[in-house]
Coordinates of all heavy atoms in Angstrom, one line a residue:
Y163 N 124.2 -12.6 14.5 CA 125.6 -12.8 14.9 C 125.6 -13.2 16.4 O 126.4 -14.1 16.9 CB 126.4 -11.5 14.8 CG 126.7 -11.2 13.3 CD1 126.6 -9.9 12.9 CD2 126.8 -12.1 12.3 CE1 126.7 -9.5 11.6 CE2 127.0 -11.8 11.0 CZ 126.9 -10.6 10.6 OH 127.1 -10.2 9.3
W164 N 124.7 -12.5 17.2 CA 124.5 -12.8 18.7 C 124.1 -14.2 18.8 O 124.7 -15.0 19.7 CB 123.6 -11.8 19.3 CG 123.4 -12.3 20.8 CD1 124.1 -11.9 21.8 CD2 122.3 -12.9 21.2 NE1 123.5 -12.5 23.0 CE2 122.3 -13.0 22.6 CE3 121.1 -13.5 20.6 CZ2 121.4 -13.7 23.4 CZ3 120.1 -14.3 21.4 CH2 120.4 -14.3 22.7
K165 N 123.1 -14.7 18.1 CA 122.7 -16.1 18.2 C 123.8 -17.1 17.9 O 124.0 -18.1 18.6 CB 121.5 -16.3 17.3 CG 120.2 -15.6 17.9 CD 119.0 -16.2 17.2 CE 118.9 -15.9 15.7 NZ 117.5 -16.3 15.1
A166 N 124.6 -16.8 16.8 CA 125.6 -17.7 16.5 C 126.7 -17.7 17.6 O 127.3 -18.8 18.0 CB 126.3 -17.1 15.2
L167 N 127.0 -16.6 18.3 CA 127.9 -16.5 19.4 C 127.4 -17.4 20.6 O 128.2 -18.2 21.2 CB 128.0 -15.1 19.9 CG 128.9 -14.7 21.1 CD1 130.3 -15.1 20.9 CD2 128.6 -13.3 21.5
L168 N 126.1 -17.2 20.9 CA 125.5 -18.0 22.0 C 125.4 -19.5 21.8 O 125.2 -20.3 22.7 CB 124.2 -17.4 22.4 CG 124.1 -16.3 23.4 CD1 124.4 -16.9 24.8 CD2 125.1 -15.2 23.1
H169 N 125.5 -19.9 20.5 CA 125.4 -21.3 20.2 C 126.7 -21.9 19.7 O 126.8 -22.9 19.0 CB 124.4 -21.6 19.2 CG 123.0 -21.4 19.7 ND1 122.3 -20.2 19.8 CD2 122.1 -22.3 20.3 CE1 121.1 -20.3 20.4 NE2 121.0 -21.6 20.6
K170 N 127.9 -21.2 20.0 CA 129.2 -21.6 19.6 C 129.4 -21.8 18.2 O 130.3 -22.6 17.8 CB 129.6 -22.9 20.4 CG 130.3 -22.6 21.7 CD 130.8 -23.9 22.3 CE 131.7 -23.6 23.5 NZ 132.2 -24.8 24.1
K171 N 128.6 -21.0 17.4 CA 129.0 -21.1 15.9 C 129.8 -19.9 15.4 O 130.1 -19.8 14.3 CB 127.6 -21.0 15.2 CG 126.7 -22.2 15.4 CD 125.4 -22.1 14.6 CE 124.6 -23.4 14.9 NZ 123.2 -23.3 14.3
A172 N 130.3 -19.1 16.4 CA 131.2 -17.9 16.2 C 132.1 -17.8 17.3 O 131.8 -18.3 18.5 CB 130.4 -16.6 15.9
D173 N 133.4 -17.4 17.1 CA 134.3 -17.4 18.2 C 134.2 -16.0 18.9 O 134.5 -14.9 18.3 CB 135.7 -17.6 17.5 CG 136.8 -17.5 18.7 OD1 136.5 -17.5 19.8 OD2 138.0 -17.5 18.2
G174 N 133.8 -16.0 20.1 CA 133.7 -14.9 20.8 C 135.0 -14.4 21.6 O 134.9 -13.5 22.4
G175 N 136.0 -15.2 21.5 CA 137.2 -14.9 22.2 C 137.1 -14.9 23.7 O 136.6 -15.9 24.3
T176 N 137.3 -13.7 24.4 CA 137.2 -13.6 25.8 C 135.8 -13.2 26.3 O 135.6 -13.1 27.5 CB 138.2 -12.5 26.3 OG1 137.9 -11.3 25.6 CG2 139.7 -13.0 26.0
I177 N 134.8 -13.1 25.4 CA 133.5 -12.9 25.8 C 132.9 -13.9 26.7 O 133.0 -15.2 26.2 CB 132.6 -12.5 24.7 CG1 132.9 -11.2 24.0 CG2 131.1 -12.5 25.1 CD1 132.1 -10.9 22.7
K178 N 132.3 -13.6 27.8 CA 131.6 -14.6 28.7 C 130.2 -14.8 28.2 O 129.4 -13.7 28.3 CB 131.8 -14.3 30.1 CG 133.2 -14.3 30.6 CD 133.7 -15.7 30.8 CE 135.0 -15.8 31.4 NZ 136.1 -15.3 30.8
C179 N 129.8 -15.9 27.8 CA 128.4 -16.1 27.3 C 127.4 -16.8 28.2 O 126.3 -17.2 27.9 CB 128.4 -16.8 26.0 SG 129.4 -16.0 24.7
T180 N 127.9 -16.9 29.5 CA 127.0 -17.5 30.5 C 125.6 -16.9 30.5 O 125.6 -15.6 30.6 CB 127.6 -17.4 31.9 OG1 129.0 -17.9 31.8 CG2 126.9 -18.3 32.9
N181 N 124.6 -17.6 30.5 CA 123.1 -17.0 30.5 C 122.2 -18.0 31.1 O 122.5 -19.1 31.3 CB 122.8 -16.7 29.2 CG 122.6 -17.9 28.2 OD1 121.5 -18.5 28.2 ND2 123.6 -18.4 27.6
V182 N 121.0 -17.5 31.5 CA 120.0 -18.3 32.0 C 118.7 -18.4 31.2 O 117.8 -19.1 31.6 CB 119.6 -17.8 33.4 CG1 120.7 -17.9 34.4 CG2 119.0 -16.4 33.3
L183 N 118.7 -17.8 30.0 CA 117.5 -17.7 29.2 C 117.6 -18.3 27.8 O 116.5 -18.6 27.2 CB 117.1 -16.3 29.1 CG 116.7 -15.5 30.4 CD1 116.4 -14.1 30.1 CD2 115.5 -16.2 31.0
V184 N 118.8 -18.6 27.3 CA 118.9 -19.1 25.9 C 118.9 -20.6 25.8 O 119.9 -21.2 25.9 CB 120.1 -18.4 25.2 CG1 120.1 -18.8 23.7 CG2 120.1 -17.0 25.3
G185 N 117.7 -21.1 25.5 CA 117.5 -22.6 25.5 C 118.4 -23.1 24.4 O 118.4 -22.6 23.2
G186 N 119.1 -24.2 24.6 CA 119.9 -24.9 23.6 C 121.3 -24.3 23.5 O 122.2 -24.8 22.8
S187 N 121.6 -23.2 24.2 CA 122.9 -22.7 24.2 C 123.8 -23.4 25.2 O 123.5 -23.7 26.3 CB 122.9 -21.2 24.8 OG 124.3 -20.7 25.1
P188 N 125.0 -23.9 24.7 CA 125.9 -24.6 25.6 C 126.4 -23.8 26.8 O 126.9 -24.3 27.7 CB 127.1 -24.9 24.7 CG 127.0 -24.0 23.5 CD 125.6 -23.5 23.4
F189 N 126.1 -22.5 26.8 CA 126.6 -21.6 27.9 C 125.4 -21.4 28.9 O 125.6 -20.7 29.8 CB 127.0 -20.3 27.3 CG 128.0 -20.3 26.3 CD1 127.8 -20.1 25.0 CD2 129.4 -20.5 26.8 CE1 128.8 -20.2 24.0 CE2 130.4 -20.5 25.8 CZ 130.1 -20.3 24.5
C190 N 124.2 -22.0 28.6 CA 123.1 -21.8 29.5 C 123.3 -22.4 30.9 O 123.7 -23.6 30.9 CB 121.8 -22.3 28.9 SG 120.3 -21.8 29.7

Side-chain angles (χ1 to χ4, degrees):
Y163 297 137
W164 172 84
K165 286 197 293 187
L167 174 66
L168 267 288
H169 288 87
K170 266 192 173 178
K171 294 178 180 178
D173 182 10
T176 56
I177 292 179
K178 294 289 190 294
C179 299
T180 309
N181 68 88
V182 296
L183 296 176
V184 185
S187 167
F189 303 103
C190 192

